[in-house]
Amino acid sequence: MIGYLKGDLADIQRLTNGRVIITLDVQGVGYELQITARVMGNLPPIGDPVQVFTHLQNRDDQPVLFGFGSRAERDVFRLAISVSGIGPQMGMALLDTLSLNDLVQAVVSGNARILSQTPGVGKKTAERIILELKTKLAEWRQQSGLLTAPVAGPVSVIQEDVEMTLLALGYSNSEITKALQAVGQSKALSKTADTEDWIREAIAWLSQ
């Protein structure tokens, strides 16, 4: 198993199907890796050195290397493709659509709506991901020490209603997440408070 590759970035290709392929020159050998657009955005200029964590997947007897910006991202990818019906391309799509923190938090909190923002991931698939990974990702996050612990926030049933309402009002996902994290620190607002209470407090925080 190839854990990571360290070499000079030789080439970046954006394919018509939306996939991103980079070539890494490691001591004169060019390795092709598929990465997400998120990882591409953090790459150095062509010719500069870079380290990419990797996962080797055999597909139809043809090995494919997938590249990740961190070991944590690769860990979550491996957990994702362990779910029945989730292949490596869907695993990459999840990591491309959501940030690592948002993806883990969505699974741990049981937020199928956030997961369903990923192309190809419907409600049933999102629910299956949550069912199979909720406990595993919660344990992984605690053991890894790389991600922050869950912040205070509404229970998942209320959270989905709050997010849908705030999205309809024109707020972005990142704004909503920050607002719920901030409002959730208030001792005056319980996790089981009414949906309207959470919406009112979130809007007040966003309006500051």
Side-chain angles (χ1 to χ4, degrees), residues 8-77:
D8 296 331
L9 183 61
D11 188 39
I12 302 175
Q13 301 177 63
R14 263 191 178 277
L15 305 184
T16 54
N17 56 13
R19 296 175 187 174
V20 180
I21 305 294
I22 64 170
T23 302
L24 207 60
D25 183 344
V26 181
Q27 297 181 348
V29 179
Y31 291 87
E32 289 190 344
L33 303 95
Q34 181 181 334
I35 62 171
T36 64
R38 284 180 180 272
V39 172
M40 184 184 71
N42 293 320
L43 289 174
I46 297 289
D48 281 9
V50 65
Q51 176 175 299
V52 182
F53 288 87
T54 60
H55 172 82
L56 180 62
Q57 184 85 13
N58 285 311
R59 183 184 63 192
D60 299 329
D61 297 326
Q62 180 183 358
V64 179
L65 271 174
F66 293 92
F68 307 91
S70 67
R71 182 185 291 109
E73 191 175 69
R74 185 188 61 191
D75 287 348
V76 172
F77 170 82

Side-chain angles (χ1 to χ4, degrees), residues 17-188:
N17 56 13
R19 296 175 187 174
V20 180
I21 305 294
I22 64 170
T23 302
L24 207 60
D25 183 344
V26 181
Q27 297 181 348
V29 179
Y31 291 87
E32 289 190 344
L33 303 95
Q34 181 181 334
I35 62 171
T36 64
R38 284 180 180 272
V39 172
M40 184 184 71
N42 293 320
L43 289 174
I46 297 289
D48 281 9
V50 65
Q51 176 175 299
V52 182
F53 288 87
T54 60
H55 172 82
L56 180 62
Q57 184 85 13
N58 285 311
R59 183 184 63 192
D60 299 329
D61 297 326
Q62 180 183 358
V64 179
L65 271 174
F66 293 92
F68 307 91
S70 67
R71 182 185 291 109
E73 191 175 69
R74 185 188 61 191
D75 287 348
V76 172
F77 170 82
R78 287 176 172 171
L79 284 171
I81 63 175
S82 72
V83 176
S84 56
I86 303 297
Q89 295 304 332
M90 188 172 290
M92 294 294 277
L94 283 164
L95 286 167
D96 203 17
T97 304
L98 304 170
S99 70
L100 184 62
N101 279 289
D102 287 346
L103 174 56
V104 174
Q105 181 61 26
V107 174
V108 173
S109 64
N111 194 327
R113 186 192 64 80
I114 291 291
L115 294 177
S116 297
Q117 293 175 4
T118 303
V121 177
K123 183 178 180 182
K124 289 184 178 180
T125 301
E127 290 173 347
R128 185 166 66 251
I129 293 171
I130 291 168
L131 178 65
E132 296 191 30
L133 292 188
K134 187 172 185 177
T135 301
K136 291 180 181 178
L137 274 177
E139 292 174 351
W140 172 84
R141 179 164 59 180
Q142 185 176 7
Q143 293 169 1
S144 70
L146 296 174
L147 299 174
T148 56
V151 295
V155 294
S156 58
V157 175
I158 294 176
Q159 181 172 339
E160 191 161 342
D161 289 340
V162 173
E163 290 174 345
M164 291 295 287
T165 300
L166 293 174
L167 281 170
L169 291 173
Y171 295 106
S172 68
N173 279 310
S174 60
E175 288 174 327
I176 294 168
T177 299
K178 290 177 182 177
L180 294 184
Q181 289 176 355
V183 172
Q185 303 299 326
S186 171
K187 293 182 179 179

